[in-house]
Amino acid sequence: NSNNPLYRRVLERYVHMATEAGVAQAVYPEGGLTRDGTLSPPRTGLLDYMLKSFDPKGRRDVVFVPVGINYDRVVEDRSQLLAAQKAPRKGAGFAARTTLKFFARQFGLMLRGRWFRFGYACVNFGTPLSTREWMGRRLDGDLRMLSREQRFEAVQALATDLMQSVAAVVPVLPVPLVARVMLKAARPLTLLELKAECQEEMERLREAGARIYLPRGDEDYAIEVGLRMLNLRHLVDETDGVFAVNPQEADLLRYYANSIAHLAAPMIEDRRARQSSSDLPPSRMPSAPTRALSVAASKPARASGSNAAGCGAMLLSISSGALDVPWPTAAFTLLACSAAQRRWFSAVVVAA
């Protein structure tokens, strides 16, 4: 029970000791599963545990590495939509029948030679953020000298910046791309029209600084892969070479499209404007020395649970100083742990 006071004190002490020891850690600041595919606002509990005793003049710095993860298929996507609708929970019998039907269908597709992988999983690493540098630039003070309310305000500002960094490196994959284009078009499209719309959308995303993963380096193939996945799941129906959104599956299609919705140019510009105007006034931050720390992360679409419809964010944070493990090694270890539950995905790693 996370509301148990004893649990919270033990967790706080554990995080503090791990930070002091320079252990590379991963935290998921969103604090829960997203129900609609979008990235959730960060929660600051664990960040506060880490930073309340941070000394910017100490021998260790805390370096956060933004990690954006996206998936073409999230196994529990329908479950998340049902949870968002607060639908009554089904019993164990229903879950067992659904699981058996799923495997039976996959086996049937294999026998007919129509089985395909579930798509791609992609991860991007953003520019590391130094807590010491951030505090010097944004706060000009020491968290230890602040009141509880002022410290929470400062930690919230850092968490917001970190989540913005993560959002900027969430990769664009075939399924979210095609899902977004189909929903934006709001009309049936031929394959030629769909490819033209997807290419225009990719240009807009590139202009906004988005990172797009193209399987085999081929735009046409990427579009065909995304469309095939949606068609196999009946999210998109085909009639005489014309593709249209299945009205009964529009919410699920939107679930995937939402994973890259924040990458549109107007939203990126708005994010940059908010970031530049969100500095806390130095007068509210008493100056003083500080101490050491490390870690944080936002939830990938499935590590210890699904995060966003195929989309996820992670901030790998490392206490520099006596660092025994290089951050790429730690990051790939975390990715491997997450991907272990995604064996049917073709995983690709893209270093930002």
Side-chain angles (χ1 to χ4, degrees):
N1 183 358
S2 61
N3 292 321
N4 186 302
L6 177 60
Y7 169 85
R8 289 179 176 272
R9 289 303 298 269
V10 172
L11 177 61
E12 178 180 355
R13 182 57 181 160
Y14 172 82
V15 171
H16 176 76
M17 292 176 65
T19 296
E20 286 285 310
V23 176
Q25 303 173 69
V27 181
Y28 304 135
E30 288 170 284
L33 307 181
T34 216
R35 306 303 190 192
D36 60 2
T38 59
L39 289 173
S40 303
R43 296 187 180 183
T44 57
L46 287 177
L47 277 178
D48 183 58
Y49 292 164
M50 302 167 197
L51 297 176
K52 67 195 306 183
S53 58
F54 177 71
D55 182 358
K57 296 183 180 179
R59 69 188 185 93
R60 290 189 186 277
D61 188 11
V62 181
V63 179
F64 293 88
V65 181
V67 183
I69 304 174
N70 210 347
Y71 295 89
D72 271 339
R73 175 77 178 266
V74 177
V75 175
E76 60 271 64
D77 48 14
R78 296 182 189 277
S79 298
Q80 298 308 313
L81 287 176
L82 289 174
Q85 298 164 4
K86 297 184 178 179
R89 292 180 65 90
K90 305 289 186 180
F94 176 82
R97 288 193 301 274
T98 301
T99 302
L100 289 174
K101 286 180 181 179
F102 171 80
F103 283 109
R105 184 168 186 273
Q106 300 306 311
F107 185 67
L109 290 172
M110 289 180 183
L111 291 177
R112 297 195 301 272
R114 296 185 56 200
W115 186 88
F116 296 93
R117 290 177 180 269
F118 285 0
Y120 293 85
C122 185
V123 56
N124 280 334
F125 298 97
T127 303
L129 185 150
S130 161
T131 302
R132 181 179 293 158
E133 180 183 322
W134 185 90
M135 291 181 66
R137 184 177 72 252
R138 298 285 300 278
L139 303 183
D140 190 28
D142 185 342
L143 291 175
R144 296 175 301 174
M145 305 300 295
L146 302 179
S147 67
R148 187 171 183 270
E149 291 73 20
Q150 289 175 326
R151 189 181 75 247
F152 281 172
E153 184 178 355
V155 172
Q156 181 64 58
L158 174 60
T160 299
D161 283 357
L162 290 173
M163 286 300 297
Q164 289 171 349
S165 298
V166 166
V169 298
V170 170
V172 178
L173 292 183
V175 166
L177 173 66
V178 177
R180 177 173 171 80
V181 168
M182 291 297 300
L183 289 169
K184 285 182 64 177
R187 64 182 177 85
L189 298 171
T190 64
L191 181 59
L192 187 60
E193 290 173 330
L194 177 62
K195 288 186 175 182
E197 294 284 347
C198 284
Q199 288 168 349
E200 290 180 9
E201 186 67 18
M202 283 189 280
E203 285 303 314
R204 285 191 288 268
L205 289 168
R206 288 191 182 102
E207 289 175 4
R211 294 161 171 81
I212 303 174
Y213 174 66
L214 298 175
R216 303 180 184 177
D218 187 331
E219 289 187 357
D220 278 356
Y221 178 73
I223 296 168
E224 290 170 3
V225 166
L227 181 59
R228 182 179 66 198
M229 289 296 303
L230 296 176
N231 189 232
L232 284 172
R233 299 191 66 193
H234 304 292
L235 275 62
V236 170
D237 292 330
E238 178 186 4
T239 305
D240 298 327
V242 177
F243 299 90
V245 174
N246 180 351
Q248 296 180 344
E249 299 288 4
D251 287 343
L252 187 56
L253 196 66
R254 193 171 296 109
Y255 183 79
Y256 285 93
N258 283 346
S259 69
I260 60 172
H262 64 279
L263 294 170
M267 297 187 71
I268 290 290
E269 292 303 319
D270 180 59
R271 174 178 61 81
R272 289 171 179 164
R274 289 199 309 272
Q275 183 172 355
S276 63
S277 63
S278 62
D279 291 3
L280 295 176
S283 60
R284 298 193 57 186
M285 308 300 297
S287 59
T290 329
R291 221 168 110 264
L293 235 77
S294 88
V295 344
S298 150
K299 176 171 248 164
R302 168 149 179 128
S304 55
S306 177
N307 171 39
C311 137
M314 186 185 334
L315 287 167
L316 171 66
S317 164
I318 301 169
S319 270
S320 63
L323 183 61
D324 297 324
V325 180
W327 76 260
T329 301
F332 277 99
T333 300
L334 290 167
L335 176 62
C337 292
S338 176
Q341 302 180 57
R342 284 280 187 268
R343 292 186 298 275
W344 285 351
F345 286 93
S346 300
V348 60
V349 175
V350 182

